[in-house]
Amino acid sequence: MILVTGGAGFIGSNFVLDWLSREKEPLVNLDKLTYAGNPDNLSALNGDERHMFVRGDIGDAELIAGLLDKHQPRAVVNFAAESHVDRSIHGPDEFIQTNIVGTFRLLETVRAYWMGLNGSARTGFRFLHVSTDEVYGSLDHDGPAFRETNPYQPNSPYSASKAASDHLVRAYHHTYGLPVLTTNCSNNYGPYQFPEKLIPLVIHNALAGKPLPIYGDGRQIRDWLYVTDHCRAVCRVLEAGRLGETYNIGGGNEKTNLDVVHTLCDILDELRPRGDGQSYRTQIMFVKDRPGHDRRYAIDATKIERELGWKPAETFESGIRKTVQWYLDHESWVRNVTSGEYRRWVEKQYA
């Protein structure tokens, strides 16, 4: 049994679905179900006894302690986080509360549980913390990619809150001996991503005939990682990662935002052409850049490949085509998310 936090969000739900497609081991899935946590992501698991969903907050120590005591998990995988830079700029408080205070309370509760374990249960226990490359700050255009030894230089309330959570995890290992692992990933994309992030937003707006907004000149560079590749990397770190270590996970696909949007438009032109025969590229609109926008992120994933044998299976070309096709095949999911319908359902279902 493992406990997954944030398992109804984008990356967390993909992890849960992938885990249960390949493993017999059951899991408890804890999610607060804020705007980006969506039970519809997990509808394929309805009736699957290996999946136990609990609505709750990682900051609720009493709830977490009860789950740990009842289910006795061998590992906790922490995906729970507020994760959108724009939202952190306009409302940083939730990011501080969830990413820093919530992680602290989760660590405290897990530490108490771990200290009460004996024998192989104690030595085999793991706490895996999922983080972001944004904690490292911004790279020069020609600078080397982020390695695990790079200093932290976060530039947004979001990345600063994640950096703080990373430091707490590290401290709990070095101070208390808690058996932790940390992963820092590059930009994820794929199914079930809330349409506020670049790729699903562009797909949604393109099909709706709306402008495709691009910050600044669109030359910001990101390293794109298909979400299933990320999930498999997390599994590998959980299985064989060295205690107290950090592993960077990247896709090896550096693209400018403008290149990504052009690629999306070209695929949509092929798979769902506009009625007027024009390209979706005509909907591109450049907008004022966001404050403190980091210019470039890139991950050096040499360590995880060398130590654990992990490499991404998807190229950007294969992963982005799968992603576009998924959104075309699941337009009802997008409608429910963007209309707020699923949020009303959540309140009714979990009142």
Side-chain angles (χ1 to χ4, degrees), residues 173-195:
H173 175 68
H174 287 275
T175 301
Y176 303 112
L178 187 67
V180 308
L181 300 154
T182 299
T183 59
N184 293 85
C185 69
S186 57
N187 277 36
N188 279 221
Y189 68 98
Y192 300 110
Q193 189 170 29
F194 194 81

Side-chain angles (χ1 to χ4, degrees), residues 158-171:
Y158 160 61
S159 57
S161 66
K162 287 298 291 183
S165 69
D166 292 5
H167 289 319
L168 283 169
V169 171
R170 174 185 171 87

